[in-house]
Amino acid sequence: MTIRYTFGGDEFIFVEISESMSLDAFFKGMAITRALAERNVRGVTEICPANASYQIRFDPDVITPEQMLSTLQELEAEVTGNALTLNTRIIEVPVLYGDPWTHETMMRFRERHQDPESTDIEYAARINQFASVEAFIDAHSGSPWFVSMVGFVAGLPFMFQMVEREKQIEVPKYLRPRTDTPKLTVGHGGCFGCIYSVRGAGGYQMFGVTPAPIFEPAQRLPYLRDFMVLFRPGDIVKFKPITREQYDQAVVDVDAGIFDLRIRPIAFSLAQFLEGPEAYNSRLMEVLNAN
């Protein structure tokens, strides 16, 4: 892939690794931005990785634009795509699929949807050629997802499904955005999944809700004690379907400040994943479920 560098004034460099999202492009960007952070280059003030690109902000009085560009090109030459290993985390996120809150919301905005006669998850199951909503949920929750970037609103993760491209779930966004989306909605638009960290406008299809806060300025919950935002680029997410009873109990635990998530450290190898995604994902689940 040919990487394209663009200056933004005299303080920014935008780096486009690929015009389309892929695990290769994502890993390349993650490797370069992490290597840059480890070098602790004087003058670099912000490093912002994204899906298949990244942006650097720097102080031109400390490092010139030409020097910054040269540094990034050096890092590009050092990084070999498929040989990359990423030290990251795998996080299990419970989801109540087909919940009443997103259902009530979607019913208020059916005139903005491609198929007003069906629900979002029924529509997604049909256009992805699944035999039933249950089969769609199995596919959505059955394989892990990479967090490729965090943003848009505080703590919102964009997630890319870790399966072969022909198996990826793809669903268009609403024809016109909604003015309301419940907090902690699990959504999907294009090839990306997301979790809405706060209530607000949105255009992604709505599949369910999680009881797990992913953005909490008060930092009451155990998994948010270090930082108010849960997700980081490079995290791996595994959705776990839960019942309404399990959801209600989780909400009680959240209110009590004792709710926690299953989170495990992992070293992810892109080369091993590409050799056999299903087998590699099975090994990831073994790590997640280990005591």
Side-chain angles (χ1 to χ4, degrees):
M1 62 185 73
T2 301
I3 295 183
R4 182 163 56 193
Y5 296 86
T6 306
F7 287 107
D10 57 359
E11 291 185 56
F12 297 90
I13 295 182
F14 175 70
V15 185
E16 186 179 38
I17 297 168
S18 173
E19 292 184 354
S20 61
M21 175 60 189
S22 69
L23 286 177
D24 292 36
F26 166 73
F27 260 81
K28 187 99 173 179
M30 283 297 302
I32 293 171
T33 53
R34 289 196 174 190
L36 179 63
E38 290 170 0
R39 281 197 184 187
N40 197 26
V41 177
R42 288 186 68 251
V44 174
T45 58
E46 290 184 70
I47 302 172
C48 183
N51 296 320
S53 61
Y54 64 92
Q55 183 166 278
I56 306 299
R57 186 176 188 179
F58 58 94
D59 184 347
D61 292 329
V62 178
I63 180 171
T64 68
E66 291 75 19
Q67 290 172 326
M68 189 72 256
L69 175 61
S70 178
T71 298
L72 296 178
Q73 290 173 328
E74 287 177 15
L75 292 173
E76 175 194 345
E78 294 172 6
V79 170
T80 303
N82 289 3
L84 297 174
T85 298
L86 183 66
N87 291 318
T88 186
R89 308 176 298 172
I90 184 166
I91 304 171
E92 185 176 77
V93 175
V95 179
L96 176 61
Y97 288 92
D99 66 282
W101 305 284
T102 58
H103 182 82
E104 186 276 333
T105 302
M106 71 177 71
M107 290 298 105
R108 287 192 278 122
F109 294 97
R110 291 329 280 165
E111 80 283 358
R112 306 184 183 209
H113 195 272
Q114 292 86 348
D115 186 358
E117 301 303 316
S118 69
T119 65
D120 291 7
I121 200 166
E122 289 170 345
Y123 171 69
R126 177 170 58 79
I127 67 170
N128 283 277
Q129 300 182 331
F130 287 97
S132 64
V133 167
E134 291 72 23
F136 176 84
I137 293 172
D138 287 344
H140 187 269
S141 62
S143 59
W145 300 69
F146 254 119
V147 176
S148 55
M149 62 178 286
V150 179
F152 187 69
V153 295
L156 185 151
F158 289 84
M159 297 174 286
F160 188 71
Q161 196 175 22
M162 294 168 55
V163 294
E164 297 92 334
R165 185 173 292 273
E166 61 271 14
K167 294 182 179 179
Q168 286 175 352
I169 293 170
E170 294 193 16
V171 192
K173 294 186 288 186
Y174 273 45
L175 298 175
R176 290 185 293 128
R178 301 176 303 274
T179 56
D180 190 22
T181 306
K183 179 181 178 181
L184 299 178
T185 291
V186 175
H188 197 100
C191 66
F192 288 107
C194 82
I195 302 174
Y196 286 79
S197 55
V198 296
R199 183 178 181 180
Y204 277 23
Q205 307 285 337
M206 299 181 290
F207 298 158
V209 293
T210 176
I214 61 172
F215 170 62
E216 188 185 61
Q219 297 179 249
R220 298 178 309 114
L221 297 173
Y223 61 91
L224 292 168
R225 295 272 163 75
D226 292 336
F227 193 50
M228 68 179 70
V229 172
L230 170 60
F231 293 113
R232 303 186 288 240
D235 280 342
I236 299 172
V237 174
K238 174 63 170 60
F239 295 120
K240 178 184 178 181
I242 59 173
T243 65
R244 175 62 189 270
E245 183 179 9
Q246 290 172 317
Y247 175 89
D248 289 343
Q249 182 58 55
V251 170
V252 170
D253 292 344
V254 168
D255 291 341
I258 61 173
F259 179 83
D260 207 355
L261 289 175
R262 182 176 294 176
I263 302 174
R264 300 284 187 268
I266 193 155
F268 181 86
S269 166
L270 179 60
Q272 292 179 23
F273 172 81
L274 293 175
E275 285 176 5
E278 289 190 20
Y280 194 82
N281 286 344
S282 295
R283 295 199 292 273
L284 290 179
M285 295 309 100
E286 292 175 2
V287 172
L288 178 63
N289 295 319
N291 294 326

